[in-house]
């Protein structure tokens, strides 16, 4: 909101002629041309026959002024134009109350094959949406740039470009509009500055147009790109597709690169606040996006499906790489951030909240590699993330970040969550052996409405998951870690605390597997059971854990006749205040060997210190307890 207020102040200071819907007063054009003392090198359209605020077309007069070789300055008021073509070295300077109004479809200002052009302090009226969204001039773009360099567009107001196809809104080719289009399909584009530009009411059906500011590649030669584009202090709202777009082809088509969106705002987009599909080296910094993907003025975006990934504050696509979001705020969007197989996506110091569906959403069959999320907040209490990478190392790092909704993990190898808070815990929802080598370090998990760490089904094995220095907090109703049948292999739980839980760690069916590598140096308090394992385990070290306020058993391992209890060590565990029972082993099968229960201290247990039931007493070594 601060960004929006700041930008409105900028607009007021620039005296943009904004319509009443924008919340800024629009002054009526004066009936007489403004008398401007000309500096050397400037001419006016009036010198070539233009008449402001009348019904005649001024295109020819303005074009003659442009072609004179001098810069052009405009009076207060409205000029009617078809299409103006810029040239190299040109400056078009409005009075701050200058309006160029389109009279036909097409581009109001075209810059192709030019350099060193500056356009500032004027407004462009696309002539669309005159009575309603279906009426007026169709298919208008305010400013089109192609095969050009060193272009500055500053303090410009663009509105009412395009209309909606009433028979079929999604068939918008030839109907939809754009505010600014920058593209390199005709030749390279570089060094573009778009600053203090306000764009609104750009119609589109979500397919071919309806974008506020559109930056694209699409040259057949992938070495010919749009690059070094800076968009700063701009505000785009009420658009049919995206507020801002960074787009390029895959394979034989080029993508834009080195695009920066800085201190900008976007609101009320039919689809995305920013759509990056695709681009390289894109930075979005200190910008705000509100009501994107759920704005239905031009059409109902639900026609694209309730899981359509482009209904987002920011969306990235499969072939994009090195995308950075820093200091971004996203609120009241359908999705906050949606991503596909984007390589090197960084989300830093970003806040997302009040999302209609999810704060962060993987919208494709594969997530990207080397994703970094840091110092961010995802505030909506709905499931999010569901990172899925079916092959290869993910290299995912999430640090210093809080999630109010449940975090879903589908398929990942090599990921780290550090100093994170999970308000509704995490859920493992993958297929066989598809989650591997995921580390949680110094994280906080809350079990207030469900188990803090849990599995959605029992059909897979999550391997080598570690929880080091973590906190598991509950309300006494749910477990800290709950593992179902075949749910885990070789997990490490170390130096973590479990407080106010039903079970600190619960394995509903160990299936005689090495579910844990170790559970060591943890603290359990105010729990029904500290460690509760059913159906046998193998090769686990349960060492150095402390227990207090345990209502049932500190450690309970229950083995069934068809399960196994092999090579386990339970050592150095201690019971403190208010522990009812210490260690209980129910060994019922014939496959029991090489287990040690040594050097444990549950002297303070109020009911039973130990309960060992064993069909083969010699197979469990119990000494020095």
């Amino acid at each position: 909101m601060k960004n929006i207020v700041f930008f409105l102040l900028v607009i007021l200071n620039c005296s943009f002629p904004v319509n009443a819907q924008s919340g800024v007063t629009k002054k009526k054009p004066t009936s007489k041309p403004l008398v401007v003392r000309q500096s050397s090198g400037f001419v006016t359209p009036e010198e070539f026959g233009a008449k402001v605020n009348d019904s005649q077309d001024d295109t020819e007069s303005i074009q003659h002024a442009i072609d004179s070789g001098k810069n052009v300055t405009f009076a207060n008021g409205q000029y009617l134009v078809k299409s103006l073509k810029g040239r190299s070295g040109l400056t078009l300077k409005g009075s701050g109350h200058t309006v160029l109004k389109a009279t036909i479809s097409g581009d109001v200002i075209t810059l192709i094959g030019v350099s060193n052009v500056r356009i500032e302090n004027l407004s462009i009226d696309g002539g669309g949406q005159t009575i309603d969204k279906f009426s007026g001039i169709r298919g208008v773009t305010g400013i089109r740039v192609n095969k050009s360099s060193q272009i500055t567009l500053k303090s410009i107001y663009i509105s009412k470009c395009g209309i909606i196809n009433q028979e079929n809104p999604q068939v918008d080719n030839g109907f939809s509009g754009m505010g600014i289009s920058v593209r390199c399909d005709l030749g390279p584009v570089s060094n573009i500055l778009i600053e203090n530009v306000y764009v609104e009411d750009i119609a589109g059906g979500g397919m071919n147009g309806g974008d506020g500011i559109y930056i694209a590649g699409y040259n057949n030669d992938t070495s010919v790109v749009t690059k070094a584009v800076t968009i700063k202090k701009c505000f785009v709202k009420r658009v049919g597709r995206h507020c801002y777009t960074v787009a390029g082809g895959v394979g034989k088509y080029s993508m834009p690169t080195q695009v920066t969106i800085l201190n900008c705002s976007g609101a009320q987009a039919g689809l995305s606040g920013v759509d990056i599909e695709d681009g390289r080296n894109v930075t979005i910094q200190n910008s705000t996006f509100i009501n994107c993907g759920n704005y239905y003025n031009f059409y109902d975006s639900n026609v694209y499906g309730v899981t359509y990934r482009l209904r987002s504050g920011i969306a990235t696509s499969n072939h994009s790489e090195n995308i950075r979001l820093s200091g971004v705020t996203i609120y009241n969007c359908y999705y906050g951030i949606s991503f596909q197989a984007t390589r090197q996506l960084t989300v830093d110091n970003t806040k997302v909240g009040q999302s209609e569906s999810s704060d962060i959403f993987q919208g494709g069959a594969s997530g990207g590699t080397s994703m970094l999320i840091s110092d961010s907040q995802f505030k909506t209490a709905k499931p999010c993330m569901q990172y899925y990478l079916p092959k290869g190392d993910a290299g995912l790092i999430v640090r210093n970040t809080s999630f109010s909704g449940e975090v879903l993990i589908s398929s990942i190898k090599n990921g780290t969550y550090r100093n994170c808070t999970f308000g509704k815990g995490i859920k493992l929802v993958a297929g066989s052996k598809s989650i591997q080598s995921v580390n949680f370090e110094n994280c906080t998990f809350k079990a207030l409405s469900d188990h803090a760490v849990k599995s959605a089904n029992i059909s897979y094995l999550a391997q080598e998951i570690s929880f080091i220095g973590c906190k598991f907090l509950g309300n006494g109703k749910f477990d800290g870690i709950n593992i179902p049948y075949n749910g885990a292999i070789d997990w490490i739980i170390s130096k973590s605390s479990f407080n106010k839980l039903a079970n600190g760690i619960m394995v509903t069916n160990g299936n005689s597997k090495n579910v844990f590598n170790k559970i060591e140096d943890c603290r359990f308090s105010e729990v029904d059971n500290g460690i509760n394992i059913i159906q046998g385990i193998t090769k686990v070290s349960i060492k150095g854990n402390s227990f207090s306020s345990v209502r049932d058993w500190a450690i309970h391992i229950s083995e069934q006749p068809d399960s196994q209890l092999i090579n386990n060590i339970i050592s150095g565990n201690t019971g403190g205040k208010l522990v009812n029972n210490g260690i209980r082993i129910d060994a019922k099968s014939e496959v029991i060997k090489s287990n040690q229960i040594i050097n444990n201290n549950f002297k303070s247990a109020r009911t039973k210190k130990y309960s060992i039931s064993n069909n083969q007493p010699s197979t469990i070594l119990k000494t020095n307890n």
Side-chain angles (χ1 to χ4, degrees):
M1 184 59 69
K2 290 182 179 178
N3 287 337
I4 297 173
V5 172
F6 169 77
F7 190 82
L8 292 175
L9 290 173
V10 171
I11 293 169
L12 288 170
N13 290 334
C14 292
S15 300
F16 280 0
V18 183
N19 66 23
Q21 288 182 332
S22 70
V24 181
T25 303
K26 179 178 179 181
K27 295 183 180 179
K28 293 182 178 180
T30 58
S31 59
K32 297 181 181 180
L34 176 69
V35 178
V36 179
R37 178 173 293 179
Q38 301 299 329
S39 60
S40 176
F42 276 89
V43 295
T44 67
E46 285 74 15
E47 295 177 44
F48 296 85
K51 293 183 179 179
V52 72
N53 294 329
D54 67 357
S55 59
Q56 78 173 25
D57 184 86
D58 298 302
T59 304
E60 186 175 351
S61 299
I62 298 172
Q63 192 64 56
H64 282 323
I66 291 171
D67 295 341
S68 71
K70 295 185 178 182
N71 297 318
V72 180
T73 185
F74 294 89
N76 287 348
Q78 178 175 278
Y79 297 84
L80 302 179
V81 298
K82 294 183 176 71
S83 182
L84 303 173
K85 295 178 174 57
R87 57 166 174 80
S88 294
L90 172 68
T91 293
L92 295 180
K93 187 173 184 179
S95 67
H97 300 279
T98 301
V99 180
L100 304 180
K101 185 171 183 178
T103 59
I104 63 171
S105 300
D107 309 325
V108 178
I109 299 175
T110 303
L111 303 176
I112 298 178
V114 301
S115 62
N116 297 305
V117 175
R118 185 180 184 91
I119 302 173
E120 62 182 337
N121 292 339
L122 55 79
S123 298
I124 295 174
D125 183 337
Q129 307 154 58
T130 52
I131 299 173
D132 54 31
K133 61 186 178 182
F134 308 110
S135 62
I137 299 171
R138 62 176 66 178
V140 171
T141 296
I143 301 174
R144 185 177 300 277
V145 180
N146 208 318
K147 194 183 176 182
S148 297
S149 64
Q150 302 292 339
I151 308 297
T152 297
L153 309 176
K154 187 173 183 179
S155 300
I156 299 171
Y157 169 66
I158 302 173
S159 66
K160 297 186 177 180
C161 294
I163 65 172
I164 292 299
N165 179 355
Q166 191 165 8
E167 293 184 0
N168 189 340
Q170 280 66 58
V171 181
D172 60 357
N173 191 24
F175 290 83
S176 60
M178 285 192 181
I180 296 172
S181 172
V182 179
R183 186 166 166 150
C184 73
D185 53 304
L186 302 180
V189 173
S190 64
N191 297 301
I192 310 296
L193 173 62
I194 303 171
E195 182 176 5
N196 287 337
V197 172
Y198 189 120
V199 183
E200 65 180 355
D201 298 318
I202 309 299
M207 292 297 293
N208 296 286
D211 298 13
I213 298 176
Y214 176 84
I215 311 298
Y218 292 116
N219 195 286
N220 290 331
D221 183 347
T222 56
S223 68
V224 178
V225 299
T226 297
K227 68 177 182 180
V229 178
T230 299
I231 305 167
K232 60 189 296 187
K233 298 180 181 178
C234 293
F235 185 21
V236 179
K237 71 174 183 177
R238 296 199 298 268
V239 298
R241 192 164 67 167
H242 314 305
C243 293
Y244 306 85
T245 302
V246 180
V250 297
K252 66 178 182 178
Y253 296 110
S254 66
M255 301 183 206
T257 185
Q258 301 172 32
V259 179
T260 299
I261 299 173
L262 176 64
N263 295 326
C264 291
S265 295
Q268 297 172 295
L271 295 179
S272 304
V274 182
D275 177 29
I276 306 172
E277 191 183 8
D278 286 282
R280 296 187 177 97
N281 306 312
V282 179
T283 298
I284 305 170
Q285 187 171 358
N286 298 335
S287 297
T288 299
F289 304 96
I290 301 172
N291 292 121
C292 300
N294 51 10
Y295 174 65
Y296 308 120
N297 179 62
F298 291 114
Y299 65 97
D300 185 354
S301 58
N302 283 302
V303 299
Y304 293 114
V306 295
T307 61
Y308 189 48
R309 65 178 187 84
L310 294 183
R311 300 176 64 187
S312 306
I314 297 175
T316 70
S317 197
N318 280 324
H319 301 278
S320 296
E321 59 181 283
N322 193 21
I323 310 300
R324 185 184 180 204
L325 319 181
S326 180
V328 173
T329 300
I330 301 172
Y331 273 95
N332 294 312
C333 297
Y334 189 78
Y335 293 118
I337 298 169
S338 70
F339 63 93
Q340 289 189 310
T342 305
R343 293 175 294 280
Q344 294 179 300
L345 172 62
T346 298
V347 180
D348 169 52
N349 193 29
T350 288
K351 296 178 181 179
V352 183
Q354 299 179 28
S355 299
E356 189 173 328
S357 184
S358 179
D359 281 346
I360 181 166
F361 167 74
Q362 181 168 316
S366 177
T369 56
S370 302
M371 179 186 292
L372 170 64
I373 302 174
S374 68
D375 301 287
S376 296
Q377 300 175 40
F378 298 93
K379 297 183 175 182
T380 305
K382 295 182 178 181
C384 64
M385 197 74 176
Q386 194 156 355
Y387 186 92
Y388 179 84
L389 183 69
K391 295 181 180 180
D393 282 354
L396 171 69
I397 297 176
V398 184
R399 64 191 184 203
N400 305 323
T401 293
S402 63
F403 299 90
S404 295
E406 182 180 60
V407 173
L408 308 178
I409 300 176
S410 288
S411 179
I412 180 174
K413 181 180 180 181
N414 185 19
T416 298
Y417 293 81
R418 184 179 297 120
N419 298 322
C420 294
T421 299
F422 300 91
K424 287 195 172 183
I426 64 171
K427 180 186 286 187
L428 310 177
V429 291
S432 179
K433 300 183 181 179
S434 59
I435 301 175
Q436 185 175 357
S437 301
V438 182
N439 305 311
F440 296 88
E441 302 172 6
N442 301 316
C443 293
T444 298
F445 299 85
K446 296 183 180 179
L448 302 176
S449 57
D450 203 344
H451 309 311
V453 175
K454 55 192 170 296
S455 167
N457 54 54
I458 59 174
S459 63
Y460 66 94
L461 301 173
Q463 298 183 344
E464 300 171 5
I465 313 300
S466 67
F467 299 87
I468 312 297
C470 294
K471 296 179 181 179
F472 297 82
L473 307 174
N475 55 11
K477 298 179 180 180
F478 305 99
D479 301 338
I481 296 175
N482 184 285
I483 300 173
Y485 172 77
N486 274 358
I489 291 290
D490 214 22
W491 284 25
I492 293 175
I493 304 171
S494 175
K495 299 180 181 179
S496 297
S497 63
F498 298 80
N499 184 253
K500 293 185 178 179
L501 300 162
N503 296 281
I505 299 170
M506 176 68 182
V507 180
T508 59
N509 189 336
N511 196 28
S512 305
K513 304 289 186 180
N514 56 319
V515 176
F516 302 105
N517 177 292
K518 60 184 178 181
I519 304 172
E520 295 183 355
D521 302 315
C522 295
R523 300 185 308 276
F524 299 83
S525 64
E526 296 186 65
V527 295
D528 290 346
N529 295 282
I531 300 170
N532 192 358
I533 300 172
I534 300 173
Q535 287 283 66
I537 54 171
T538 61
K539 299 179 182 179
V540 62
S541 171
I542 302 176
K543 289 184 178 181
N545 301 290
S546 63
F547 302 83
S548 63
S549 298
V550 177
R551 291 177 285 275
D552 199 352
W553 289 93
I555 299 172
H556 181 197
I557 299 175
S558 175
E559 192 223 14
Q560 300 302 314
D562 57 348
S563 59
Q564 302 177 359
L565 201 63
I566 303 173
N567 292 328
N568 300 295
I569 299 176
I570 302 174
S571 172
N573 301 287
T574 60
K577 295 181 178 179
L578 304 179
V579 173
N580 272 343
N581 302 290
I583 299 174
R584 177 178 175 180
I585 307 294
D586 297 326
K588 300 177 182 179
S589 79
E590 296 182 359
V591 188
I592 304 170
K593 60 183 178 180
S594 301
N595 299 289
Q596 299 182 58
I597 305 174
I598 58 175
N599 299 324
N600 300 286
N601 184 351
F602 286 93
K603 292 180 180 179
S604 63
R606 297 190 295 185
T607 305
K608 288 186 178 182
K609 297 173 177 58
Y610 303 96
S611 175
I612 309 295
S613 60
N614 183 13
N615 289 340
Q616 302 182 56
S618 64
T619 61
I620 292 184
L621 176 64
K622 182 181 69 171
T623 63
N624 298 325
N625 293 296

